[in-house]
Amino acid sequence: MPKRIGALVAGAWLTLTILACMTEAPDDECDVGSEGCACTSGDGCDPGLQCVMDVCREPCDGGSCARDAGTRRDSGRPSSGTCTGTVDACWQGCISSGTSTAACRAACDLGDAYGCYALCVDNGDDTGTCRSVCGASGAIAELGCAETCIARGVATATCKGLCGLTSDCGEVGCAGVCLRQGDDVVSCKNVCGFTTERGREACHAVCGERGEAPATCSALCG
């Protein structure tokens, strides 16, 4: 998995286009962020895709797809200007060298845990293992944990139980899991809650991707 998880991130809130290009295509035939097309300016991709060498691709099951990518990771979730994780130099070194998550955890400061979860994704660790090794609570840790669910195809309710959901960034991550899993808006809201402003915006993003009318989205998401 690339060192940049598509973060889904800087700039205006919420721009979502879902898997439009199924193979690599010329720039004039691609929607930015779609499979086989260029990543966004924040290295983001559509839900379920990863930014690999500036192109959005299906994530790897394990190991590294592109160990020369940068340190900022964006994932298949609705984007937010502040729900952004940065992998510091120590964790980036482990990603570049293919170090196991447990070994890197013993060598690096945990910080907000985002680097640990980023390494988990790169190493192909399952979400339960990641949570056990990386631990930590807080908005960015919940976001990073949700990204392991997106990468591993974990069900939304299961992911909530594993990662916790107490923050706005956690709700953004939860919305990304809903998108990856193909959950309908009602099911997604029932699991993710969407009680925060960013959570409600993420809910609207899911609703829009499901083709619901704006009035319906307003009624469902607030």
Side-chain angles (χ1 to χ4, degrees):
M1 170 134 331
K3 293 179 275 306
R4 307 180 281 189
I5 304 182
L8 0 147
V9 181
W13 169 250
L14 291 176
T15 47
L16 283 174
T17 43
I18 223 155
L19 313 181
C21 299
M22 299 310 294
T23 58
E24 297 222 12
D27 291 342
D28 60 357
E29 296 179 10
C30 268
D31 290 331
V32 172
S34 298
E35 185 174 2
C37 303
C39 307
T40 69
S41 60
D43 299 322
C45 294
D46 286 347
L49 301 179
Q50 308 299 333
C51 188
V52 181
M53 300 299 288
D54 299 319
V55 175
C56 292
R57 305 179 188 278
E58 285 287 338
C60 294
D61 291 332
S64 173
C65 297
R67 300 209 177 270
D68 57 354
T71 59
R72 178 121 153 206
R73 303 177 66 101
D74 295 316
S75 84
R77 66 179 185 265
S79 48
S80 165
T82 58
C83 291
T84 305
T86 301
V87 183
D88 68 23
C90 187
W91 290 100
Q92 187 65 58
C94 292
I95 291 172
S96 298
S97 62
T99 303
S100 72
T101 308
C104 195
R105 174 70 179 87
C108 298
D109 290 336
L110 184 62
D112 62 13
Y114 193 81
C116 185
Y117 283 111
L119 179 60
C120 273
V121 172
D122 201 75
N123 284 339
D125 300 333
D126 65 74
T127 300
T129 298
C130 293
R131 182 63 177 170
S132 296
V133 174
C134 301
S137 59
I140 299 302
E142 289 180 356
L143 180 66
C145 188
E147 289 180 357
T148 69
C149 296
I150 292 168
R152 303 292 161 246
V154 177
T156 310
T158 301
C159 186
K160 178 182 178 179
L162 288 169
C163 297
L165 186 55
T166 64
S167 68
D168 56 352
C169 293
E171 289 182 349
V172 171
C174 189
V177 180
C178 286
L179 288 169
R180 175 65 167 161
Q181 291 298 311
D183 299 337
D184 63 68
V185 187
V186 173
S187 297
C188 188
K189 180 171 172 53
N190 285 341
V191 175
C192 300
F194 300 131
T195 61
T196 67
E197 181 179 355
R198 288 194 181 90
R200 287 189 291 273
E201 290 173 335
C203 180
H204 278 275
V206 175
C207 197
E209 287 299 332
R210 297 295 171 258
E212 300 290 350
T216 301
C217 294
S218 294
L220 290 171
C221 300

